[in-house]
Amino acid sequence: MSKYHKILLTVFLLLLAGLVFLEASQPQPINWNPSYAHVDKIPLGSYVFYESMQKKYPENFQKVKQPPFEFLNDSSVSGTYLFLNHAIAFGEAELKKILAWAAKGNTVYISAAYLGQNLLDTLQLETRVAFKYNTVKYQPILNFTNPNLKADSAYFYAHDTDLVYFLEIDTTAQTVLGISDLLAKKPVIEDSLVNFIKAPFGKGEIFLHLFPEAFSNYFMLLGNNREYAEKALAYIDPEKPIFWDAHYKIGGVFQTSPLYILLGNKYLKWAYYFVLIAAVLFVLFEGKRKQKSIEIVPPLQNKTHDFTRTIAGMYLENNDHKAIAEKQIQLFLNYVRTKLRINTQEIDEEFLKNLSERSGNSEKTTRDLFSYIASIQQKQHLEKSELLKLNKSISDFKEEE
Protein backbone atom coordinates (compact mmCIF):
# COMPACT_ATOMS: atom_id res chain seq x y z
CA MET A 1 0.00 0.00 0.00
CA SER A 2 1.41 3.37 -1.03
CA LYS A 3 1.79 6.32 1.33
CA TYR A 4 -1.01 8.16 -0.49
CA HIS A 5 -3.40 5.27 0.02
CA LYS A 6 -2.51 5.05 3.70
CA ILE A 7 -3.31 8.75 4.18
CA LEU A 8 -6.68 8.32 2.43
CA LEU A 9 -7.51 5.29 4.55
CA THR A 10 -6.61 7.12 7.75
CA VAL A 11 -8.78 10.13 6.83
CA PHE A 12 -11.67 7.82 5.94
CA LEU A 13 -11.44 5.95 9.25
CA LEU A 14 -11.34 9.23 11.20
CA LEU A 15 -14.42 10.49 9.38
CA LEU A 16 -16.18 7.21 10.04
CA ALA A 17 -15.29 7.30 13.73
CA GLY A 18 -16.57 10.89 13.95
CA LEU A 19 -19.83 9.90 12.30
CA VAL A 20 -20.28 6.99 14.70
CA PHE A 21 -19.61 9.28 17.67
CA LEU A 22 -22.10 11.92 16.49
CA GLU A 23 -24.78 9.31 15.84
CA ALA A 24 -24.22 7.57 19.16
CA SER A 25 -24.36 10.84 21.10
CA GLN A 26 -27.76 11.79 19.66
CA PRO A 27 -30.65 11.36 22.11
CA GLN A 28 -32.88 8.37 21.45
CA PRO A 29 -35.99 9.56 19.51
CA ILE A 30 -39.34 9.13 21.25
CA ASN A 31 -41.29 6.15 19.95
CA TRP A 32 -44.85 7.28 19.29
CA ASN A 33 -45.92 3.93 17.90
CA PRO A 34 -49.56 3.29 19.03
CA SER A 35 -48.74 -0.01 20.69
CA TYR A 36 -51.24 -0.15 23.58
CA ALA A 37 -49.53 -3.34 24.71
CA HIS A 38 -49.53 -3.77 28.48
CA VAL A 39 -45.77 -4.45 28.54
CA ASP A 40 -44.80 -1.28 26.63
CA LYS A 41 -43.61 1.78 28.57
CA ILE A 42 -43.49 3.99 25.46
CA PRO A 43 -45.89 6.98 25.37
CA LEU A 44 -48.66 5.04 23.64
CA GLY A 45 -48.20 1.81 25.55
CA SER A 46 -50.67 0.82 28.27
CA TYR A 47 -48.26 -0.30 31.01
CA VAL A 48 -49.49 2.30 33.55
CA PHE A 49 -53.17 1.60 32.88
CA TYR A 50 -52.72 -2.17 33.01
CA GLU A 51 -50.78 -2.06 36.29
CA SER A 52 -53.41 0.27 37.79
CA MET A 53 -56.22 -2.11 36.83
CA GLN A 54 -54.35 -5.08 38.29
CA LYS A 55 -53.87 -3.27 41.60
CA LYS A 56 -57.44 -1.98 41.72
CA TYR A 57 -59.13 -5.26 40.72
CA PRO A 58 -56.59 -7.98 41.65
CA GLU A 59 -59.14 -10.77 41.61
CA ASN A 60 -61.45 -9.76 38.78
CA PHE A 61 -58.95 -8.42 36.24
CA GLN A 62 -57.87 -11.13 33.77
CA LYS A 63 -55.67 -10.98 30.66
CA VAL A 64 -56.91 -12.84 27.56
CA LYS A 65 -54.39 -13.72 24.87
CA GLN A 66 -56.81 -15.75 22.76
CA PRO A 67 -58.87 -14.24 19.94
CA PRO A 68 -62.39 -13.39 21.15
CA PHE A 69 -63.84 -16.00 18.80
CA GLU A 70 -62.01 -18.74 20.70
CA PHE A 71 -62.30 -17.25 24.19
CA LEU A 72 -66.07 -16.84 24.01
CA ASN A 73 -66.57 -20.51 23.13
CA ASP A 74 -66.64 -21.01 26.89
CA SER A 75 -70.30 -20.45 27.77
CA SER A 76 -69.42 -19.85 31.45
CA VAL A 77 -67.56 -16.60 30.63
CA SER A 78 -69.42 -13.48 31.79
CA GLY A 79 -68.52 -9.93 32.77
CA THR A 80 -66.84 -7.09 30.83
CA TYR A 81 -64.66 -7.58 27.75
CA LEU A 82 -62.27 -4.61 27.47
CA PHE A 83 -60.69 -3.83 24.07
CA LEU A 84 -58.01 -1.14 23.69
CA ASN A 85 -56.13 -0.43 20.47
CA HIS A 86 -55.60 2.21 17.79
CA ALA A 87 -57.94 0.34 15.42
CA ILE A 88 -60.17 -2.68 15.96
CA ALA A 89 -61.97 -4.55 13.19
CA PHE A 90 -63.68 -7.83 14.00
CA GLY A 91 -64.44 -10.46 11.39
CA GLU A 92 -68.09 -11.16 10.66
CA ALA A 93 -68.21 -14.45 12.57
CA GLU A 94 -66.26 -13.00 15.50
CA LEU A 95 -68.47 -9.91 15.68
CA LYS A 96 -71.61 -12.07 15.77
CA LYS A 97 -70.19 -14.07 18.65
CA ILE A 98 -69.22 -10.89 20.59
CA LEU A 99 -72.65 -9.32 20.06
CA ALA A 100 -74.40 -12.55 21.05
CA TRP A 101 -72.28 -12.62 24.22
CA ALA A 102 -73.25 -8.99 24.99
CA ALA A 103 -76.92 -9.74 24.38
CA LYS A 104 -76.82 -12.34 27.18
CA GLY A 105 -76.28 -9.53 29.72
CA ASN A 106 -72.55 -8.89 29.42
CA THR A 107 -70.59 -5.70 28.68
CA VAL A 108 -68.34 -5.00 25.71
CA TYR A 109 -66.09 -1.97 26.19
CA ILE A 110 -64.11 -0.84 23.13
CA SER A 111 -61.69 2.09 23.05
CA ALA A 112 -60.26 2.58 19.55
CA ALA A 113 -59.94 5.51 17.17
CA TYR A 114 -61.03 3.46 14.20
CA LEU A 115 -63.74 0.81 14.40
CA GLY A 116 -64.67 -1.85 11.87
CA GLN A 117 -67.42 -0.87 9.44
CA ASN A 118 -69.46 -3.97 10.27
CA LEU A 119 -69.72 -2.91 13.93
CA LEU A 120 -70.64 0.67 12.98
CA ASP A 121 -73.28 -0.57 10.54
CA THR A 122 -74.76 -2.87 13.18
CA LEU A 123 -75.18 0.04 15.61
CA GLN A 124 -76.06 2.49 12.80
CA LEU A 125 -73.14 4.78 13.53
CA GLU A 126 -70.75 6.85 11.45
CA THR A 127 -67.43 8.44 12.42
CA ARG A 128 -65.40 11.40 11.18
CA VAL A 129 -62.01 13.00 11.90
CA ALA A 130 -62.27 16.49 13.42
CA PHE A 131 -60.82 19.46 11.55
CA LYS A 132 -60.60 23.18 12.40
CA TYR A 133 -59.54 26.07 10.19
CA ASN A 134 -58.45 28.35 13.03
CA THR A 135 -55.73 26.11 14.46
CA VAL A 136 -52.57 24.43 13.22
CA LYS A 137 -52.33 22.10 16.18
CA TYR A 138 -54.51 19.05 16.66
CA GLN A 139 -54.42 18.57 20.42
CA PRO A 140 -57.70 17.12 21.72
CA ILE A 141 -59.52 18.08 24.91
CA LEU A 142 -62.00 15.71 26.57
CA ASN A 143 -64.80 15.75 29.09
CA PHE A 144 -67.92 13.91 30.22
CA THR A 145 -71.62 14.75 29.94
CA ASN A 146 -72.63 13.21 33.25
CA PRO A 147 -72.66 16.06 35.83
CA ASN A 148 -71.21 13.70 38.43
CA LEU A 149 -68.20 12.97 36.23
CA LYS A 150 -67.78 16.21 34.30
CA ALA A 151 -64.65 18.20 35.21
CA ASP A 152 -64.59 21.99 35.54
CA SER A 153 -61.73 22.16 33.06
CA ALA A 154 -61.47 19.78 30.12
CA TYR A 155 -58.78 17.11 30.12
CA PHE A 156 -55.96 18.03 27.75
CA TYR A 157 -53.88 15.76 25.49
CA ALA A 158 -50.69 17.72 24.74
CA HIS A 159 -49.68 15.95 21.54
CA ASP A 160 -50.95 16.28 17.99
CA THR A 161 -53.19 13.39 16.97
CA ASP A 162 -56.38 12.66 15.05
CA LEU A 163 -59.59 13.31 16.91
CA VAL A 164 -62.29 10.91 15.76
CA TYR A 165 -65.92 11.51 16.70
CA PHE A 166 -69.40 10.13 15.99
CA LEU A 167 -71.14 12.08 13.24
CA GLU A 168 -74.69 11.26 14.26
CA ILE A 169 -76.19 8.99 16.89
CA ASP A 170 -79.68 7.85 17.75
CA THR A 171 -80.23 9.47 21.14
CA THR A 172 -83.39 7.41 21.67
CA ALA A 173 -81.36 4.19 21.66
CA GLN A 174 -77.86 5.38 22.55
CA THR A 175 -76.51 7.53 25.37
CA VAL A 176 -73.81 10.18 25.01
CA LEU A 177 -71.24 9.76 27.78
CA GLY A 178 -68.33 11.90 26.60
CA ILE A 179 -67.54 14.80 24.31
CA SER A 180 -64.35 16.22 22.81
CA ASP A 181 -62.95 19.06 20.76
CA LEU A 182 -59.68 20.40 19.38
CA LEU A 183 -57.84 22.86 21.61
CA ALA A 184 -58.25 26.49 20.57
CA LYS A 185 -57.10 29.33 22.82
CA LYS A 186 -58.58 27.90 26.02
CA PRO A 187 -59.22 24.32 27.15
CA VAL A 188 -62.95 24.80 26.68
CA ILE A 189 -65.07 22.50 24.52
CA GLU A 190 -66.83 24.71 21.96
CA ASP A 191 -67.94 22.03 19.48
CA SER A 192 -69.33 19.12 21.45
CA LEU A 193 -68.01 16.27 19.34
CA VAL A 194 -69.31 12.98 20.71
CA ASN A 195 -66.53 10.46 21.29
CA PHE A 196 -67.97 8.20 24.01
CA ILE A 197 -71.36 6.48 23.92
CA LYS A 198 -73.29 3.61 25.45
CA ALA A 199 -75.51 1.40 23.29
CA PRO A 200 -77.82 -1.18 24.87
CA PHE A 201 -77.69 -4.55 23.14
CA GLY A 202 -80.11 -7.23 24.25
CA LYS A 203 -79.69 -7.67 27.98
CA GLY A 204 -76.17 -6.22 27.88
CA GLU A 205 -74.38 -3.02 26.87
CA ILE A 206 -71.74 -1.89 24.40
CA PHE A 207 -69.48 1.06 25.22
CA LEU A 208 -67.67 2.74 22.34
CA HIS A 209 -64.84 5.15 23.15
CA LEU A 210 -62.98 6.80 20.24
CA PHE A 211 -59.93 8.13 22.07
CA PRO A 212 -57.70 5.20 23.14
CA GLU A 213 -54.88 7.66 23.93
CA ALA A 214 -56.80 8.38 27.14
CA PHE A 215 -55.56 5.06 28.50
CA SER A 216 -51.97 5.46 27.29
CA ASN A 217 -48.92 6.01 29.48
CA TYR A 218 -48.42 9.54 28.15
CA PHE A 219 -51.96 10.72 28.87
CA MET A 220 -52.30 9.11 32.30
CA LEU A 221 -49.02 10.57 33.58
CA LEU A 222 -49.88 14.10 32.44
CA GLY A 223 -51.44 16.31 35.15
CA ASN A 224 -54.67 14.90 36.54
CA ASN A 225 -55.51 12.92 33.40
CA ARG A 226 -55.45 9.65 35.34
CA GLU A 227 -58.76 10.85 36.71
CA TYR A 228 -60.28 10.79 33.21
CA ALA A 229 -59.39 7.10 32.71
CA GLU A 230 -60.93 6.22 36.09
CA LYS A 231 -64.15 8.08 35.24
CA ALA A 232 -64.34 6.51 31.79
CA LEU A 233 -64.38 3.10 33.45
CA ALA A 234 -66.91 4.12 36.11
CA TYR A 235 -69.66 2.50 34.01
CA ILE A 236 -68.08 -0.97 34.41
CA ASP A 237 -69.36 -3.23 37.17
CA PRO A 238 -66.24 -3.89 39.32
CA GLU A 239 -67.93 -6.88 40.98
CA LYS A 240 -67.88 -8.85 37.72
CA PRO A 241 -64.79 -10.18 35.92
CA ILE A 242 -63.01 -7.76 33.59
CA PHE A 243 -61.31 -9.43 30.62
CA TRP A 244 -58.39 -7.46 29.15
CA ASP A 245 -57.92 -8.21 25.46
CA ALA A 246 -54.23 -8.86 24.71
CA HIS A 247 -54.89 -10.12 21.18
CA TYR A 248 -55.92 -6.98 19.28
CA LYS A 249 -52.78 -4.97 19.91
CA ILE A 250 -50.41 -3.32 17.43
CA GLY A 251 -47.62 -3.88 19.93
CA GLY A 252 -48.60 -7.52 20.28
CA VAL A 253 -46.83 -8.39 17.01
CA PHE A 254 -43.10 -7.88 17.12
CA GLN A 255 -40.04 -8.99 15.21
CA THR A 256 -37.78 -11.69 16.64
CA SER A 257 -35.17 -11.71 13.88
CA PRO A 258 -31.62 -11.31 15.31
CA LEU A 259 -30.81 -8.78 12.59
CA TYR A 260 -33.96 -6.77 13.41
CA ILE A 261 -32.96 -6.64 17.08
CA LEU A 262 -29.38 -5.76 16.14
CA LEU A 263 -30.41 -2.86 13.90
CA GLY A 264 -33.05 -1.73 16.39
CA ASN A 265 -30.35 -0.52 18.79
CA LYS A 266 -28.34 2.36 17.35
CA TYR A 267 -25.14 1.37 19.21
CA LEU A 268 -25.28 -2.21 17.98
CA LYS A 269 -26.31 -0.99 14.53
CA TRP A 270 -23.24 1.24 14.13
CA ALA A 271 -20.95 -1.43 15.53
CA TYR A 272 -22.39 -3.81 12.93
CA TYR A 273 -21.82 -1.30 10.13
CA PHE A 274 -18.27 -0.68 11.36
CA VAL A 275 -17.49 -4.40 11.24
CA LEU A 276 -18.86 -4.65 7.69
CA ILE A 277 -16.79 -1.68 6.51
CA ALA A 278 -13.66 -3.08 8.19
CA ALA A 279 -14.24 -6.43 6.48
CA VAL A 280 -14.53 -4.73 3.08
CA LEU A 281 -11.34 -2.75 3.66
CA PHE A 282 -9.51 -5.92 4.70
CA VAL A 283 -10.58 -7.69 1.50
CA LEU A 284 -9.57 -4.72 -0.66
CA PHE A 285 -6.13 -4.14 0.84
CA GLU A 286 -4.91 -7.03 3.01
CA GLY A 287 -6.54 -9.78 0.97
CA LYS A 288 -5.19 -8.39 -2.30
CA ARG A 289 -1.63 -8.21 -0.92
CA LYS A 290 -1.58 -11.88 0.11
CA GLN A 291 -3.21 -13.31 -2.99
CA LYS A 292 -1.08 -16.12 -4.49
CA SER A 293 -0.17 -16.11 -8.17
CA ILE A 294 -1.88 -18.68 -10.35
CA GLU A 295 0.48 -20.94 -12.27
CA ILE A 296 -0.03 -20.98 -16.04
CA VAL A 297 -0.47 -24.56 -17.25
CA PRO A 298 0.26 -24.93 -21.00
CA PRO A 299 -2.35 -26.97 -22.92
CA LEU A 300 -1.51 -30.47 -24.10
CA GLN A 301 -0.03 -30.59 -27.60
CA ASN A 302 -1.34 -32.81 -30.37
CA LYS A 303 1.58 -35.12 -31.35
CA THR A 304 -0.35 -37.11 -33.98
CA HIS A 305 0.91 -34.99 -36.90
CA ASP A 306 4.53 -35.29 -35.75
CA PHE A 307 4.16 -39.05 -35.30
CA THR A 308 2.71 -39.43 -38.78
CA ARG A 309 5.51 -37.42 -40.34
CA THR A 310 8.09 -39.55 -38.53
CA ILE A 311 6.59 -42.85 -39.76
CA ALA A 312 6.23 -41.51 -43.31
CA GLY A 313 9.83 -40.36 -43.26
CA MET A 314 10.97 -43.87 -42.31
CA TYR A 315 9.17 -45.40 -45.31
CA LEU A 316 10.54 -42.72 -47.68
CA GLU A 317 14.08 -43.25 -46.49
CA ASN A 318 13.76 -46.99 -47.30
CA ASN A 319 12.11 -46.21 -50.68
CA ASP A 320 9.28 -48.59 -49.72
CA HIS A 321 6.67 -46.92 -51.96
CA LYS A 322 4.53 -50.04 -51.98
CA ALA A 323 4.05 -49.97 -48.17
CA ILE A 324 3.16 -46.27 -48.25
CA ALA A 325 0.63 -46.92 -51.02
CA GLU A 326 -0.97 -49.76 -49.01
CA LYS A 327 -1.30 -47.47 -45.96
CA GLN A 328 -2.79 -44.73 -48.11
CA ILE A 329 -5.31 -47.15 -49.64
CA GLN A 330 -6.31 -48.39 -46.18
CA LEU A 331 -6.81 -44.82 -44.98
CA PHE A 332 -8.92 -44.05 -48.03
CA LEU A 333 -11.13 -47.12 -47.51
CA ASN A 334 -11.51 -46.14 -43.84
CA TYR A 335 -12.56 -42.69 -45.03
CA VAL A 336 -15.21 -44.30 -47.29
CA ARG A 337 -16.54 -46.38 -44.37
CA THR A 338 -16.62 -43.64 -41.71
CA LYS A 339 -17.29 -40.50 -43.71
CA LEU A 340 -19.51 -41.80 -46.54
CA ARG A 341 -21.03 -44.70 -44.58
CA ILE A 342 -20.40 -47.34 -47.30
CA ASN A 343 -19.25 -50.89 -46.63
CA THR A 344 -15.91 -51.60 -48.37
CA GLN A 345 -15.91 -55.35 -47.90
CA GLU A 346 -16.95 -55.97 -51.54
CA ILE A 347 -15.87 -53.66 -54.35
CA ASP A 348 -18.61 -54.36 -56.91
CA GLU A 349 -20.89 -52.44 -59.27
CA GLU A 350 -23.35 -51.47 -56.53
CA PHE A 351 -20.49 -50.21 -54.33
CA LEU A 352 -19.05 -48.06 -57.13
CA LYS A 353 -22.48 -46.62 -57.93
CA ASN A 354 -23.23 -45.72 -54.29
CA LEU A 355 -19.78 -44.25 -53.81
CA SER A 356 -20.05 -42.02 -56.87
CA GLU A 357 -23.46 -40.72 -55.73
CA ARG A 358 -22.43 -39.99 -52.16
CA SER A 359 -19.04 -38.52 -53.01
CA GLY A 360 -20.29 -36.31 -55.84
CA ASN A 361 -17.86 -37.85 -58.37
CA SER A 362 -18.84 -39.37 -61.69
CA GLU A 363 -19.01 -43.14 -62.08
CA LYS A 364 -16.11 -42.95 -64.56
CA THR A 365 -13.88 -41.12 -62.05
CA THR A 366 -14.80 -43.63 -59.36
CA ARG A 367 -14.13 -46.63 -61.62
CA ASP A 368 -10.80 -45.20 -62.79
CA LEU A 369 -9.68 -44.61 -59.15
CA PHE A 370 -10.47 -48.15 -57.99
CA SER A 371 -9.01 -49.66 -61.17
CA TYR A 372 -5.79 -47.84 -60.42
CA ILE A 373 -5.93 -48.97 -56.76
CA ALA A 374 -6.40 -52.59 -57.92
CA SER A 375 -3.40 -52.33 -60.26
CA ILE A 376 -1.20 -50.98 -57.47
CA GLN A 377 -2.27 -53.74 -55.10
CA GLN A 378 -1.18 -56.36 -57.70
CA LYS A 379 2.35 -54.95 -58.05
CA GLN A 380 5.24 -55.97 -55.87
CA HIS A 381 7.16 -52.70 -56.25
CA LEU A 382 6.10 -49.11 -56.99
CA GLU A 383 7.86 -46.17 -58.43
CA LYS A 384 7.73 -42.80 -56.74
CA SER A 385 5.74 -41.39 -59.68
CA GLU A 386 3.06 -44.09 -59.25
CA LEU A 387 2.78 -43.27 -55.53
CA LEU A 388 2.39 -39.57 -56.29
CA LYS A 389 -0.30 -40.34 -58.89
CA LEU A 390 -2.20 -42.42 -56.33
CA ASN A 391 -2.02 -39.63 -53.78
CA LYS A 392 -3.23 -37.04 -56.32
CA SER A 393 -6.13 -39.28 -57.48
CA ILE A 394 -7.34 -39.83 -53.91
CA SER A 395 -7.00 -36.13 -53.06
CA ASP A 396 -8.94 -35.08 -56.18
CA PHE A 397 -11.63 -37.63 -55.37
CA LYS A 398 -12.09 -36.26 -51.83
CA GLU A 399 -12.27 -32.65 -53.00
CA GLU A 400 -15.40 -33.36 -55.05
CA GLU A 401 -17.35 -34.33 -51.92
Side-chain angles (χ1 to χ4, degrees), residues 72 77-81 83 94-110 119 123 199-207 240:
L72 296 180
V77 172
S78 63
T80 299
Y81 211 145
F83 295 89
E94 191 169 59
L95 178 61
K96 288 181 180 179
K97 181 163 287 192
I98 292 173
L99 295 178
W101 183 76
K104 293 179 181 179
N106 299 297
T107 301
V108 176
Y109 195 108
I110 302 175
L119 175 59
L123 300 178
F201 200 88
K203 297 180 181 179
E205 296 173 326
I206 298 176
F207 291 89
K240 296 181 179 180

Side-chain angles (χ1 to χ4, degrees), residues 45-320:
S46 61
Y47 176 82
V48 175
F49 174 72
Y50 183 83
E51 291 297 317
S52 299
M53 292 293 288
Q54 275 197 322
K55 291 179 181 179
K56 190 172 184 179
Y57 309 107
E59 297 180 359
N60 291 340
F61 193 68
Q62 177 182 342
K63 179 174 64 176
V64 179
K65 294 182 179 180
Q66 295 174 278
F69 186 85
E70 296 179 10
F71 178 67
L72 296 180
N73 283 331
D74 186 355
S75 58
S76 64
V77 172
S78 63
T80 299
Y81 211 145
L82 178 59
F83 295 89
L84 174 64
N85 200 26
H86 182 67
I88 292 180
F90 302 112
E92 291 294 336
E94 191 169 59
L95 178 61
K96 288 181 180 179
K97 181 163 287 192
I98 292 173
L99 295 178
W101 183 76
K104 293 179 181 179
N106 299 297
T107 301
V108 176
Y109 195 108
I110 302 175
S111 181
Y114 299 96
L115 302 172
Q117 192 60 44
N118 52 2
L119 175 59
L120 294 175
D121 292 342
T122 300
L123 300 178
Q124 298 181 348
L125 295 170
E126 189 175 354
T127 60
R128 288 286 188 274
V129 177
F131 177 78
K132 275 192 174 184
Y133 291 98
N134 60 347
T135 181
V136 294
K137 293 184 177 181
Y138 288 84
Q139 298 175 344
I141 51 177
L142 314 167
N143 215 331
F144 298 96
T145 57
N146 188 328
N148 296 324
L149 301 177
K150 184 177 182 180
D152 296 335
S153 181
Y155 300 94
F156 173 53
Y157 183 76
H159 186 73
D160 286 356
T161 189
D162 291 340
L163 178 63
V164 184
Y165 65 97
F166 292 106
L167 186 61
E168 292 182 2
I169 65 169
D170 183 3
T171 55
T172 60
Q174 297 156 354
T175 305
V176 177
L177 303 179
I179 55 176
S180 60
D181 196 4
L182 292 173
L183 179 66
K185 295 182 180 180
K186 297 180 180 180
V188 177
I189 296 179
E190 299 174 353
D191 298 329
S192 298
L193 305 177
V194 178
N195 74 328
F196 186 24
I197 65 170
K198 179 180 72 173
F201 200 88
K203 297 180 181 179
E205 296 173 326
I206 298 176
F207 291 89
L208 298 181
H209 184 268
L210 298 181
F211 195 73
E213 290 89 342
F215 303 100
S216 67
N217 299 327
Y218 176 75
F219 184 84
M220 292 191 65
L221 296 177
L222 188 65
N224 64 336
N225 288 344
R226 181 190 293 263
E227 182 182 285
Y228 178 90
E230 294 176 353
K231 292 180 179 179
L233 296 176
Y235 297 95
I236 295 178
D237 187 353
E239 300 299 325
K240 296 181 179 180
I242 301 172
F243 304 105
W244 165 268
D245 169 65
H247 176 73
Y248 282 102
K249 294 286 184 294
I250 293 178
V253 179
F254 55 90
Q255 297 287 341
T256 57
S257 167
L259 189 59
Y260 177 85
I261 297 173
L262 183 67
L263 298 179
N265 185 294
K266 66 178 182 179
Y267 305 107
L268 295 177
K269 177 180 71 175
W270 279 101
Y272 175 71
Y273 289 159
F274 189 82
V275 169
L276 289 181
I277 294 171
V280 172
L281 292 175
F282 177 83
V283 171
L284 290 177
F285 297 100
E286 188 69 11
K288 181 178 179 182
R289 185 177 67 85
K290 291 187 176 182
Q291 182 177 0
K292 293 182 178 180
S293 60
I294 300 174
E295 182 181 357
I296 299 176
V297 179
L300 296 175
Q301 297 181 359
N302 188 351
K303 301 292 185 178
T304 304
H305 181 66
D306 295 338
F307 175 76
T308 304
R309 291 185 62 183
T310 300
I311 298 300
M314 292 173 61
Y315 282 109
L316 287 173
E317 287 178 2
N318 296 325
N319 293 321
D320 193 354

Side-chain angles (χ1 to χ4, degrees), residues 23-38:
E23 180 67 21
S25 61
Q26 290 292 327
Q28 188 75 17
I30 298 176
N31 182 6
W32 287 97
N33 177 49
S35 161
Y36 297 107
H38 70 282

